Every structure is written in structure tokens, then in C-alpha cells.
Amino acid sequence: MQIIASLPKINITMKTEHYITWWNVENLFDVRNSPRRPEWLENKLNSELKNWTKTILNTKLKNLASIMQLINEGKGSDIFGLCEVENQFVLQLLADRLNDALPNRSYEIILHNSGDKRGIDIGVIYDTNKYSIQQMNGENKVFTYRITKRSPTRDILQIELMTKRGNNLVLLMNHWYSRLSGKYFSEPYRIISAETLSYWVMRTQEELGGNTPILVMGDFNDEPFDRSMTEYAQSSSSKKKVLSGRNPYLYNLMWELFGKEVGTHVYGSDILLIDQFLAAKGLIHRDAKLKVKDGSCKIEVFDTMVKGKYNTPIKFSSRKNSYNKKGVSDHLPISVIIEEK
């Protein structure tokens, strides 16, 4: 008689990947004299929007969508965090284009009007096939934190998502004060933003648990080594420091790219790495259910959006009231993959 021994059962758990992209899309405005724009902002932007017609807006949307649908090997990202978006109307137009181009996606949007003096805010496009927004007392868990130094600057946007496997993912999105008035003159605004960010990371960890998966992203207008990032946002190149430190340290994923003559924005002759991902310890510790995939952080570069040796982004606004219809944005997108057990 032949005896066949049964093999032990092996429990193989497939990992789900979450592809997340951040992008400063460069002045995605509604059309001039839009009924969706308050009078004070219309007056503020009057000269800037002089030739911003429906045709120009549609060209801008087409160019943005053409890049966004190439990301993630032509599948598009699961989540897009975007800044310099004026309102829900233009963000919805962009999401509609992506839904048409990517039929396997079911994108919806989130945007909060912050009262920014140029009307450019942070928006999110996310795939409802993969996420739902957490609720609290019947309301979406979407929060904003206004940052003020004499006058308000841009808000920080926090969103709490739940994956289809039932795990929380907290996103904190930032667009810090620009350097146009000079790096050091404007630095106090970014330091205030950094302090606010660090405080809210700490509060989120207190409320939801120290190992809550928190991903911070943004156009910080400072680089990983600037003191707003290291001393005030408490971001670090050391995973050990983030994992063992008492403070709400963040692991700056962009250090993996540093020193390679790459950047997300070029100003004059300076190649700047100012768009960044930062991960709280809940995304990097050994037993995390949601964990940053090693080596997955990247700058998205496609030939149609860059020029020159250093992949300088081709701006859509070539000069005041004039537009390069082949341009896209003055920033490059960045992406990272989070694996879920």
C-alpha cells in the first residue's frame, strides 16, 4: 500500500501595494470671472487671470492628466495629493479626465478652501475602489490647521482613510510659504508650519496610537537639510532615531535620493528637492501592517514634461499672461509605495 504524506499548509498572505503621489500642479485656476470665486479673490487675481480662458484651462487639465495617467506603469496612482488647486470645480474636472482615461479607477476628490490670498489650496484625488474616508459622528475625518504669522498662510490638510483590509492610513499634506521674498526672510513662516506639523503628528499619535501609520507629504519650499525640516518638523535621515526617539520624529524618504543631482523644482541654476515624503514610525517599524516599501520613493520624470540635462520641469505659465501649451507644471511629481500585509 502506498502512503502519501500530506504536506503542511502554508499560509501565504499577499501584500497589497498603495501607490501614492504628491504633485504641485502650478496654478490650477478656475476661469476668469468664475461665479465660484469670491469678489476679493477675483480682484486679487485680475491681472494674473487676464488670458486664463476656458480653452487654456482645458489645455492645462489635459496636460496634467496626460502625465498622471502614465504614473504607476500606466495605471495611475491610488492617491494623488495635489497643491496649487483653486477649488473643487477644477479638481473635479481633473478627476473626471482621469476616470475617463483609467476605467478601472473610481476617483473622488477632497478639497478645503483655506482662504489663501492667491486662492491656491491642497486637494486629494483618491480611488474609492481602495479607500473609504473614516467617519466621526457622521462626518468625514478631514481636518485643516490654519497657520498664522501676522496673517494666515496655507493650511495643513489631514485626511484619515481606511483601506479595504480595514487599516487606517493618515495623510498630512502641506504647502509651505514660498521663497520668492527670499529664503531667510520667508523662513519664519515655514518654521511655524513645521512646528504646527510636528505638533499634529504628536497629537495624532496620542489620539490614535503611537504606531499609527502617518504619511506626511508636501511642497515644503525647503530641502531635507534645512532647519525647518530637521529642527522643527523633526524629520531625520535615521530610521533608528525615528523608531526609538521620544519626540514625534519623521523619517525623510527623500534622503535616499539626495546627492544624485536630482530635484523636483529648478529655480535659476538651483536644483531643489523641496517636494518630500516623511514617514512616522508607524510606517517603518518591523511589524507594521502598512509599511513603506524600501527603495520605492522616486521622482516621476516623463520626457514630455522636462527639458535639459537636469530634467527641468516645463512650466505651463511661460511668462505673465502667456502660456506654454506644451508645458505642464514647474514641479515634478514624487511617488512612494506603501505595502499592506
Side-chain angles (χ1 to χ4, degrees):
M1 181 174 67
Q2 184 179 12
I3 299 175
I4 301 175
S6 61
L7 295 173
K9 292 182 179 180
I10 301 174
N11 184 21
I12 301 175
T13 302
M14 299 295 292
K15 291 181 179 178
T16 298
E17 289 192 344
H18 301 273
Y19 204 102
I20 301 174
T21 296
W22 167 264
W23 197 9
N24 179 327
V25 294
E26 188 203 1
N27 296 340
L28 181 55
F29 288 123
D30 201 345
V31 294
R32 190 181 188 191
N33 296 319
S34 168
R36 295 165 291 273
R37 182 180 295 116
E39 184 177 357
W40 69 266
L41 184 56
E42 186 70 41
N43 294 334
K44 176 76 175 180
L45 298 176
N46 184 52
S47 61
E48 193 168 352
L49 295 175
K50 183 177 180 181
N51 295 316
W52 192 259
T53 63
K54 183 177 180 180
T55 299
I56 292 295
L57 170 60
N58 285 333
T59 301
K60 172 77 171 181
L61 292 166
K62 175 176 69 71
N63 294 359
L64 290 172
S66 70
I67 298 300
M68 294 167 77
Q69 67 195 56
L70 292 176
I71 291 173
N72 189 17
E73 298 180 342
K75 298 187 289 291
S77 291
D78 300 313
I79 300 168
F80 290 100
L82 308 172
C83 71
E84 296 204 5
V85 180
E86 182 176 357
N87 57 30
Q88 290 185 345
F89 176 74
V90 292
L91 186 60
Q92 187 62 59
L93 290 177
L94 182 56
D96 290 343
R97 284 180 176 268
L98 293 175
N99 282 326
D100 289 342
L102 301 167
N104 292 328
R105 295 292 189 179
S106 181
Y107 287 123
E108 290 189 6
I109 68 167
I110 301 167
L111 184 135
H112 170 74
N113 288 313
S114 70
D116 175 80
K117 61 185 179 181
R118 289 187 64 244
I120 49 175
D121 292 311
I122 294 170
V124 183
I125 298 175
Y126 70 103
D127 188 355
T128 57
N129 292 328
K130 298 194 70 170
Y131 313 98
S132 57
I133 302 178
Q134 289 279 53
Q135 301 277 311
M136 183 173 65
N137 299 324
E139 298 289 335
N140 288 340
K141 294 187 77 173
V142 177
F143 308 103
T144 60
Y145 314 116
R146 175 153 294 188
I147 300 163
T148 303
K149 180 184 177 294
R150 299 196 190 104
S151 59
T153 182
R154 297 160 188 150
D155 294 358
I156 295 174
L157 178 65
Q158 177 177 322
I159 297 171
E160 189 175 332
L161 298 175
M162 178 178 284
T163 70
K164 292 302 180 182
R165 291 192 178 186
N167 292 311
N168 284 6
L169 176 61
V170 177
L171 306 176
L172 278 163
M173 285 161 280
N174 302 255
H175 185 196
W176 292 2
Y177 203 84
S178 80
R179 295 182 172 199
L180 288 178
S181 57
K183 176 181 176 180
Y184 296 108
F185 178 83
S186 59
E187 186 183 43
Y189 289 93
R190 292 189 294 278
I191 287 174
I192 291 172
S193 297
E195 278 287 344
T196 305
L197 170 64
S198 187
Y199 171 73
W200 281 108
V201 171
M202 179 184 69
R203 289 290 293 121
T204 301
Q205 290 174 335
E206 289 174 350
E207 290 291 325
L208 302 179
N211 285 330
T212 299
I214 303 170
L215 182 66
V216 178
M217 64 189 83
D219 171 4
F220 297 96
N221 275 304
D222 271 334
E223 299 196 84
F225 53 79
D226 283 311
R227 66 177 187 156
S228 66
M229 303 301 299
T230 58
E231 296 179 27
Y232 297 94
Q234 300 193 86
S235 73
S236 173
S237 61
S238 168
K239 285 186 179 180
K240 182 179 179 180
K241 182 177 182 179
V242 174
L243 290 169
S244 61
R246 290 188 176 185
N247 291 330
Y249 293 114
L250 298 166
Y251 178 59
N252 195 323
L253 301 173
M254 307 314 286
W255 280 108
E256 300 171 11
L257 304 177
F258 211 75
K260 298 181 179 180
E261 289 190 309
V262 295
T264 60
H265 179 69
V266 176
Y267 187 76
S269 59
D270 295 328
I271 304 168
L272 303 173
L273 196 57
I274 56 178
D275 299 274
Q276 301 165 52
F277 286 116
L278 318 173
K281 62 182 179 180
L283 281 173
I284 61 174
H285 73 88
R286 183 179 60 186
D287 299 321
K289 292 183 179 179
L290 287 164
K291 189 175 183 179
V292 172
K293 184 177 182 179
D294 289 341
S296 66
C297 188
K298 64 184 292 190
I299 300 172
E300 303 280 2
V301 180
F302 300 97
D303 290 344
T304 54
M305 65 185 305
V306 296
K307 61 183 179 181
K309 177 181 177 182
Y310 297 111
N311 290 325
T312 301
I314 302 174
K315 297 177 61 175
F316 188 78
S317 300
S318 57
R319 55 185 181 275
K320 195 169 185 179
N321 305 139
S322 179
Y323 307 102
N324 178 359
K325 295 180 182 180
K326 293 183 179 180
V328 187
S329 172
D330 58 351
H331 286 245
L332 296 177
I334 57 174
S335 295
V336 68
I337 296 173
I338 294 177
E339 295 179 321
E340 183 177 21
K341 294 181 180 178

